[in-house]
Amino acid sequence: MSLLWQVVGFVVAVSLLVSVHEFGHYYAARKLGFKVLRFSVGFGPALWRRVGGPDRTEYVLAALPLGGYVKLLDEREGPVPDAELARSFTRRPPWQRIVVLIAGPLANFVFAIVVLWGMLWWTGAPELRPVVGRIVPDSIMARAGLRFEDEIVRIDERAVSNHSDVVFSLIDAMSDDGVADVQVDRKGSRIDLQVSVPDADVRRSLTEPAALLPGLGFRFWSPPMPALIGRLVEGGPAAQAGLRAGDRITAVDGQPVADFPALAELIADRPNRDVRIDYERAGVTAQTSVHTQAELVQGRERGRMRIETPPPPAWPADMIRQRSFGFFEAAGVSVLRAWDMSVMQARMLLRMVTGQMSLKNLSGPLAIAEYAGQSASTGIAEFLGFLVVISLSLGFLNLLPIPILDGGQILYQLAEWIKGSPLSDAVQAAGQQVGLLLLLLLMGVALFNDVARQFG
């Protein structure tokens, strides 16, 4: 994936979602009679400016498209004419200030719901059935009784119908008490199993990114991926050994290779070693030696040949469940999905704070840019799905009770409403400093995770 896609996807996503957020503040303020001085998309020098409306509001498109803001009339920021004091932010009733503050996050939730609604109504929801593929012998799932070709249909009290449902339900269970009641469809019969992970450290390790399914010891069924080389990284171990795109790997150190995942596992177990590779090219068998690279993955050295998979094979029609929705049904489903995702975010954050879930799940700007680039380069549907997730995250995070965020400001207004007078300047300043420290800590952990992921 090119750096250009990452930059473009990130800029578009941030500009759009922050503009949606700020428009929520702007719209509520206008409707409630606050005076809006400026609505800016982006920061820095203005590329375009227009002044309009009875309040002579300044609308700005700025040079740095990584955010935006709404500026309201506020006597804390400068003198206000007596005739306009009633329209200053601090002079409006507390409940109106709370409405303006909450309108930003609410706009992000509404945006996500509307996009989800349109996607569900227009294209429906294709789902991959959660059928079990490989089971690792003596793994957690193997001991629980899970078998090849079982279809997972329920986890605890929740019916599951696709891969994402299963993953989120298992993460929820592992970050809680480590017990999950799993129901599977096994050749037409419903079988009840129980997955149990009593060790808290093991449970926490399972919640690390990409660690859940390997840690539990299973993966979903997928069309067999032949051990063909799709592309080689120039100068990588495979390229230096003379391998080419289109070669089929048949054995590693004499062990037969069934498919690409098996090849990846055999190489991963051989970091920084000379590995004998048997391969087939245009019907002719041959052999070469590859000296693998070592890459640190979750604290373990893993071998790499620097090759990529071929184009994935098509999924069989019977493994895809296509759900279609009417106009009003799609609206209801989109609200429920947005609610479920937001509740999951709150639960995950709480469990990270309490140590039940790995802090490695916090993502910063580098990871978001990478995800934005991946989704933008894949297609419009994937990018819209990415926007839904980030918009819900932006709305949720801004409601956290941290004084520098909307949620913290709402607490200030509630306190003033109950107290009958504003909090002292000293209390507000102390709250802002604590909020800034908390936000910097949160961002620091997220950025550290980004850098750690980039460097293995």
Side-chain angles (χ1 to χ4, degrees):
M1 177 187 51
S2 70
L3 178 62
L4 177 62
W5 275 115
Q6 291 188 27
V7 173
V8 170
F10 182 72
V11 169
V12 170
V14 170
S15 300
L16 176 61
L17 297 181
V18 172
S19 296
V20 166
H21 181 93
E22 295 302 328
F23 179 79
H25 293 312
Y26 164 83
Y27 183 80
R30 287 287 303 270
K31 287 296 181 181
L32 291 173
F34 292 72
K35 184 169 183 177
V36 182
L37 302 179
R38 183 180 300 119
F39 181 7
S40 177
V41 176
F43 298 103
L47 301 178
W48 176 86
R49 178 186 284 108
R50 179 172 175 252
V51 177
D55 288 335
R56 307 299 293 163
T57 302
E58 185 181 24
Y59 301 92
V60 176
L61 182 63
L64 299 176
L66 296 177
Y69 62 95
V70 170
K71 184 177 181 180
L72 304 179
L73 184 68
D74 193 326
E75 58 194 296
R76 295 170 299 181
E77 298 182 2
V80 174
D82 291 342
E84 294 190 328
L85 273 177
R87 300 187 65 196
S88 172
F89 181 84
T90 54
R91 298 299 179 101
R92 305 302 294 175
W95 72 265
Q96 291 189 0
R97 287 179 248 158
I98 291 171
V99 169
V100 170
L101 289 166
I102 207 170
L106 182 62
N108 286 121
F109 292 126
V110 171
F111 174 84
I113 290 169
V114 169
V115 173
L116 264 176
W117 184 2
M119 292 174 66
L120 292 174
W121 178 50
W122 187 258
T123 63
E127 299 179 330
L128 296 175
R129 291 170 52 201
V131 175
V132 175
R134 181 171 180 264
I135 298 285
V136 177
D138 199 35
S139 63
I140 294 170
M141 284 307 223
R143 292 193 294 271
L146 195 67
R147 297 182 187 174
F148 174 67
E149 292 188 338
D150 282 351
E151 181 172 359
I152 302 173
V153 295
R154 181 174 292 276
I155 297 178
D156 293 327
E157 299 303 316
R158 180 184 180 187
V160 294
S161 59
N162 55 56
H163 294 190
S164 296
D165 286 350
V166 172
V167 169
F168 282 122
S169 295
L170 288 175
I171 284 180
D172 191 24
M174 292 305 107
S175 61
D176 189 16
D177 59 3
V179 177
D181 294 317
V182 178
Q183 187 177 80
V184 301
D185 185 308
R186 182 176 296 163
K187 298 180 179 179
S189 299
R190 294 297 175 98
I191 309 295
D192 292 320
L193 313 171
Q194 188 176 80
V195 180
S196 179
V197 183
D199 190 305
D201 290 334
V202 174
R203 293 202 302 269
R204 191 179 303 108
S205 69
L206 290 172
T207 67
E208 294 184 6
L212 179 70
L213 299 190
L216 291 175
F218 85 104
R219 65 173 179 236
F220 295 114
W221 186 92
S222 60
M225 175 74 73
L228 289 171
I229 297 177
R231 192 179 74 86
L232 296 92
V233 175
E234 186 176 351
Q240 292 180 7
L243 292 171
R244 300 178 188 171
D247 289 349
R248 180 188 295 271
I249 309 299
T250 58
V252 172
D253 283 341
Q255 296 187 44
V257 173
D259 53 22
F260 201 95
L263 169 64
E265 289 184 14
L266 288 169
I267 296 300
D269 290 338
R270 293 162 168 79
N272 197 28
R273 282 173 51 182
D274 289 325
V275 177
R276 190 175 77 252
I277 301 292
D278 293 294
Y279 65 96
E280 183 180 292
R281 178 185 299 163
V284 178
T285 58
Q287 191 178 90
T288 188
S289 178
V290 175
H291 188 83
T292 62
Q293 292 180 354
E295 182 177 282
L296 195 63
V297 179
Q298 297 176 6
R300 293 178 57 199
E301 280 197 338
R302 308 292 280 169
R304 296 289 185 262
M305 284 205 307
R306 302 304 176 191
I307 62 174
E308 295 182 4
T309 61
W315 282 78
D318 63 349
M319 294 298 294
I320 302 175
R321 185 184 291 114
Q322 178 67 39
R323 296 184 63 190
S324 299
F325 302 92
F327 184 77
F328 294 106
E329 184 186 12
V333 172
S334 63
V335 171
L336 288 175
R337 289 194 179 183
W339 171 258
D340 286 344
M341 285 191 276
S342 299
V343 169
M344 177 61 75
Q345 286 185 85
R347 192 177 296 152
M348 289 175 66
L349 182 61
L350 177 62
R351 289 176 181 173
M352 280 189 273
V353 171
T354 58
Q356 294 172 273
M357 194 167 188
S358 172
L359 284 171
K360 294 179 181 179
N361 289 284
L362 283 176
S363 296
L366 297 180
I368 294 173
E370 186 175 354
Y371 300 148
Q374 288 175 348
S375 60
S377 62
T378 303
I380 184 64
E382 287 74 14
F383 188 62
L384 288 175
F386 165 78
L387 289 179
V388 167
V389 173
I390 299 302
S391 190
L392 290 173
S393 297
L394 183 60
F396 168 74
L397 289 173
N398 269 279
L399 287 177
L400 292 178
I402 298 176
I404 201 170
L405 300 176
D406 292 329
Q409 294 301 313
I410 290 171
L411 284 181
Y412 279 171
Q413 307 311 318
L414 284 172
E416 179 178 336
W417 200 358
I418 294 170
K419 181 172 176 281
S421 61
L423 297 175
S424 69
D425 291 342
V427 169
Q428 293 193 47
Q432 294 284 16
Q433 291 175 352
V434 171
L436 182 60
L437 286 174
L438 287 173
L439 193 59
L440 288 174
L441 178 63
L442 193 68
M443 293 174 63
V445 172
L447 188 57
F448 174 83
N449 288 341
D450 283 0
V451 174
R453 276 190 285 266
Q454 293 295 321
F455 291 93

